[in-house]
């Protein structure tokens, strides 16, 4: 599994893509019986730039886009670019395990199948974003309701302040007339 841990996409990505051959201390040739190990070694040796992408595509037919939703639409251009770069895995070839004079493609799928995988993954990503938008819409509705309540409270508060200011003016007027009446009575 050091060459390609297939437990999940992230583990595959973090696998070793630099090992190119095995040898033993006895200087004796030895055969590797596992076809996938030979495939991964050839991939690492011949196409180190594409090894991680190709191993991901070879071992994960369905790419779960849900973990990437945390980056929202910012991630979409990166996902598109990743698939554009990974497309070369459909054209790369290596020696066949059973017939060394025969070459085979690294990723045994047509360009149409690859394109379908890419579009499916991107569709799932966009669909997941829609769910996020709907969640946000509910959050926004709650915020809007709170904003409405705050506006109503502020409006009520402003109305009461205006009433108090009016009452204050009325009482000042009454006080002023009483002072005037008192001053007039004291002068007489």
């Amino acid at each position: 599994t050091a060459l390609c841990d297939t437990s999940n996409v992230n583990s595959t990505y973090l696998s070793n893509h630099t090992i190119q051959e095995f040898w033993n201390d006895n200087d004796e040739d030895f055969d590797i019986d596992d076809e996938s190990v030979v495939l991964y070694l050839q991939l690492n040796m011949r196409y180190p730039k594409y090894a991680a992408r190709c191993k991901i595509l070879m071992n994960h037919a369905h790419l779960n886009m849900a973990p990437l939703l945390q980056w929202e639409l910012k991630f979409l251009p990166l996902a598109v670019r990743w698939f554009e770069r990974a497309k070369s895995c459909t054209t790369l070839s290596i020696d066949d395990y059973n017939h060394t004079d025969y070459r085979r493609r690294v990723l045994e799928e047509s360009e149409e199948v690859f394109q379908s995988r890419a579009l499916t993954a991107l569709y799932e990503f966009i669909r997941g974003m829609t769910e996020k938008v709907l969640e946000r819409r509910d959050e926004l509705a709650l915020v809007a309701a709170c904003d409405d309540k705050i506006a109503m409270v502020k409006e009520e508060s402003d109305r009461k302040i205006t009433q108090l200011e009016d009452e204050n003016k009325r009482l000042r007027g009454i006080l002023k007339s009483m002072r005037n009446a008192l001053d007039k009575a004291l002068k007489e």
Side-chain angles (χ1 to χ4, degrees):
T1 63
L3 284 172
C4 189
D5 180 352
T6 60
S7 58
N8 59 53
V9 173
N10 198 43
S11 296
T12 302
Y13 177 75
L14 295 173
S15 296
N16 190 313
H17 309 297
T18 58
I19 296 174
Q20 297 180 357
E21 61 184 341
F22 292 126
W23 68 92
N24 64 14
D25 292 336
N26 300 333
D27 288 334
E28 296 173 17
D29 286 339
F30 67 100
D31 291 329
I32 300 170
D33 293 330
D34 188 345
E35 181 179 355
S36 62
V37 171
V38 173
L39 173 69
Y40 299 143
L41 289 172
Q42 285 188 54
L43 193 55
N44 289 350
M45 185 183 319
R46 294 211 173 119
Y47 307 108
K49 183 176 171 183
Y50 302 102
R53 287 185 205 107
C54 291
K55 289 177 187 178
I56 289 170
L57 291 171
M58 290 162 56
N59 293 292
H60 304 282
H62 173 77
L63 297 177
N64 180 10
M65 302 299 276
L68 309 174
L69 294 174
Q70 64 183 323
W71 290 294
E72 299 176 349
L73 287 176
K74 295 174 216 152
F75 187 79
L76 186 59
L78 298 173
V80 169
R81 185 71 181 128
W82 188 91
F83 280 107
E84 287 173 355
R85 289 181 178 161
K87 186 177 180 181
S88 2
C89 293
T90 62
T91 60
L92 302 176
S93 62
I94 55 171
D95 293 332
D96 187 81
Y97 175 72
N98 297 318
H99 311 285
T100 54
D101 32 322
Y102 175 73
R103 295 187 60 77
R104 73 176 196 91
R105 288 196 321 211
V106 170
L107 189 60
E108 296 284 346
E109 65 184 42
S110 67
E111 189 173 318
E112 291 79 19
V113 171
F114 173 80
Q115 198 66 271
S116 176
R117 285 176 73 180
L119 290 174
T120 299
L122 294 174
Y123 169 77
E124 287 180 7
F125 183 79
I126 296 298
R127 193 177 84 206
M129 286 308 306
T130 305
E131 291 170 5
K132 284 271 205 197
V133 167
L134 291 176
E135 288 172 12
R136 288 264 170 89
R137 185 190 70 181
D138 292 342
E139 291 171 9
L140 289 174
L142 182 60
V143 168
C146 288
D147 284 348
D148 289 346
K149 184 70 176 168
I150 291 169
M152 286 173 39
V153 167
K154 181 160 177 21
E155 188 177 296
E156 180 66 21
S157 172
D158 289 346
R159 188 180 61 73
K160 285 185 178 181
I161 288 173
T162 303
Q163 283 178 344
L164 289 173
E165 287 173 345
D166 290 346
E167 182 66 14
N168 210 3
K169 281 182 191 176
R170 188 182 72 76
L171 291 174
R172 279 191 196 128
I174 292 173
L175 187 63
K176 186 176 180 183
S177 4
M178 289 178 78
R179 278 188 190 149
N180 288 341
L182 187 60
D183 285 343
K184 189 176 181 183
L186 287 175
K187 286 184 183 178
E188 292 177 4

